[in-house]
Amino acid sequence: MATTTTRWHELAARILDGGAIDASDALAVLDSSDSELMDVVAAASRLRFQHFGNKVKVNYLVNLKSGLCPEDCFYCSQRLNSTAGILRYTWLNTEEAVTAAKAGIAAGASRVCLVASGTGPSNREVGKVSDIIEAIKSDTPGVEVCACLGALKDGQAEKLCASGADAYNHNLNTAESHYEEICTTHTYADREHTVSQAHGAGLSACSGFIAGMGESREQLVELAFDLRSKDVDSIPVNFLLPFDGTPLEGVDTLNPRDCLRILAMVRLVNPDTEIRMAAGRERHLGYLQGMGLYIANSLFLGDYLTSEGQPGGEDLQMIADAGLEILQMEHDGEAGAGETAHADAPAAAPAAPTPESGRQEKKVAIRTRGAGTSEPANA
């Protein structure tokens, strides 16, 4: 009788041989027991390493306009009538946006994601973002730029592409069968249309979701297959941050093991697609974030749109501790996509610490509290 270990590795082998997972297999991944978890992760990891090697793509978010959104997405701190205590500001100017982008690039990001709240941009606002894209590309020609501005009007995707944008992000957010439970001011079909517009204009389509919003396991599977059918190039996997002052305040249904199962299921359904650990990973994956990188091949560095992430240095050390390497941006005559810059070659950004160098540099913290002292124990 086949063991569960054999089951998951046979599934991975079938996909590596050109086969495909079906919905029942995908649901079984989400229903797998804790005793099977490492086998599920290992099976998904085979696909991740087959298609992406040991590289991690580092992305950096720049929030061009925060809050002030007329949409009512129930999970969002920037939504209409949100009382979340977030930063609220109108558009950054080009210099401010470029300065913010350069901070992420200097830390190792090869893609900058320019995001603005709202239903969608006016043509004037698309012109503003196009100017920012051109300035970033002029400063750092090898960096990728992804725009995320909401629903697009005719011609706007083409304008962004002409300015040098490489990708457009518009998340589906949840399954079509669950969509009315998280938003009433626009539809799932509206989101599908924007993803299609981005593809049609020659932009790489980036579209993902938020787990933990009351959806069923079947709906997560439905969503993973829908993303596959749309042939998106990258899938950000977010885990709900239940902001105070939003309708989903206090909702907290995920645990770290389920988050790994979700990542694994998405990888098995979309074996050669960039999968990004996105917002909420620190809260929900916790100490298992590093393990998540054996499934996902991409992450956001540092902070998110309205919430703080762990320090960027910790992200880089987590990558190094996992024995992985940062994917370098393309440069003429230098390391290209999928390669790692050599130590004697000019690099686009400071190299991530290796596991060995990180431990050599990290001082041992001498205990100054607890037994033998007058300070409370760390317990």
Side-chain angles (χ1 to χ4, degrees):
M1 184 173 66
T3 65
T4 55
T5 299
T6 302
R7 174 189 185 182
W8 301 120
H9 284 280
E10 285 179 347
L11 179 59
R14 187 174 85 217
I15 297 168
L16 286 168
D17 286 342
I21 189 173
D22 61 28
S24 62
D25 287 328
L27 185 59
V29 172
L30 298 181
D31 286 338
S32 60
S33 67
D34 286 350
S35 64
E36 298 173 79
L37 182 59
M38 292 301 98
D39 295 317
V40 169
V41 171
S45 180
R46 290 176 62 186
L47 305 179
R48 181 253 194 267
F49 280 90
Q50 173 67 30
H51 293 289
F52 300 98
N54 70 335
K55 305 301 187 291
V56 177
K57 187 170 187 176
V58 175
N59 306 259
Y60 188 72
L61 283 167
V62 178
N63 193 352
L64 298 176
K65 179 168 73 79
S66 183
L68 315 173
C69 185
E71 301 298 311
D72 75 348
C73 305
F74 298 174
Y75 54 84
C76 186
S77 60
Q78 304 184 79
R79 73 186 296 272
L80 179 70
N81 297 326
S82 168
T83 59
I86 63 168
L87 289 171
R88 290 177 171 82
Y89 53 84
T90 56
W91 289 87
L92 301 183
N93 62 39
T94 297
E95 182 179 358
E96 292 169 328
V98 171
T99 297
K102 287 172 70 174
I105 294 167
S110 58
R111 174 179 279 194
V112 173
C113 304
L114 303 175
V115 187
S117 61
T119 301
S122 66
N123 288 334
R124 185 180 67 82
E125 289 168 337
V126 167
K128 183 191 298 285
V129 176
S130 295
D131 290 344
I132 293 170
I133 293 169
E134 290 171 358
I136 291 171
K137 290 278 193 172
S138 176
D139 186 83
T140 312
V143 73
E144 293 180 4
V145 177
C146 178
C148 177
L149 312 173
L152 295 174
K153 302 178 182 67
D154 289 346
Q156 291 183 333
E158 289 78 5
K159 168 68 174 172
L160 292 167
C161 190
S163 71
D166 300 280
Y168 195 82
N169 167 262
H170 200 62
N171 291 332
L172 296 182
N173 285 329
T174 196
E176 183 173 14
S177 62
H178 187 61
Y179 203 82
E180 291 182 358
E181 302 300 317
I182 68 157
C183 183
T184 68
T185 50
H186 61 266
T187 66
Y188 188 84
D190 292 332
R191 289 191 168 271
E192 291 180 301
H193 179 64
T194 298
V195 174
S196 177
Q197 283 179 302
H199 251 162
L203 294 167
S204 172
C206 173
S207 187
F209 63 94
I210 306 167
M213 297 194 294
E215 72 284 344
S216 67
R217 292 188 297 279
E218 289 82 2
Q219 286 169 328
L220 284 170
V221 169
E222 173 193 337
L223 179 56
F225 278 91
D226 201 5
L227 289 166
R228 185 174 78 180
S229 73
K230 290 173 172 47
D231 196 27
V232 299
D233 300 305
S234 57
I235 300 175
V237 178
N238 301 274
F239 304 101
L240 177 67
L241 289 170
F243 285 94
D244 289 349
T246 67
L248 294 184
E249 173 182 338
V251 173
D252 197 357
T253 61
L254 299 170
N255 66 53
R257 302 174 307 286
D258 283 337
C259 292
L260 285 178
R261 291 183 184 95
I262 291 166
L263 288 171
M265 183 273 291
V266 175
R267 169 61 69 204
L268 290 163
V269 174
N270 299 273
D272 60 354
T273 301
E274 177 186 339
I275 294 175
R276 186 175 311 132
M277 291 201 307
R281 63 177 166 88
E282 297 91 344
R283 176 188 180 96
H284 293 291
L285 276 163
Y287 292 117
L288 299 187
Q289 286 182 78
M291 192 175 297
L293 287 175
Y294 290 107
I295 304 171
N297 63 296
S298 178
L299 55 64
F300 281 116
L301 179 75
D303 294 338
Y304 303 97
L305 295 177
T306 61
S307 64
E308 292 185 352
Q310 65 189 25
E314 292 184 17
D315 290 335
L316 300 179
Q317 190 62 55
M318 178 175 69
I319 292 170
D321 284 349
L324 303 172
E325 298 175 346
I326 292 176
L327 183 72
Q328 301 292 317
M329 69 180 70
E330 290 190 38
H331 291 279
D332 293 337
E334 297 180 16
E339 300 176 358
T340 302
H342 296 292
D344 57 354
T354 64
E356 292 78 13
S357 69
R359 290 193 177 88
Q360 288 169 356
E361 294 168 3
K362 193 180 294 182
K363 301 286 188 184
V364 175
I366 305 299
R367 180 169 68 87
T368 58
R369 58 194 174 197
T373 77
S374 59
E375 298 299 317
N378 180 32

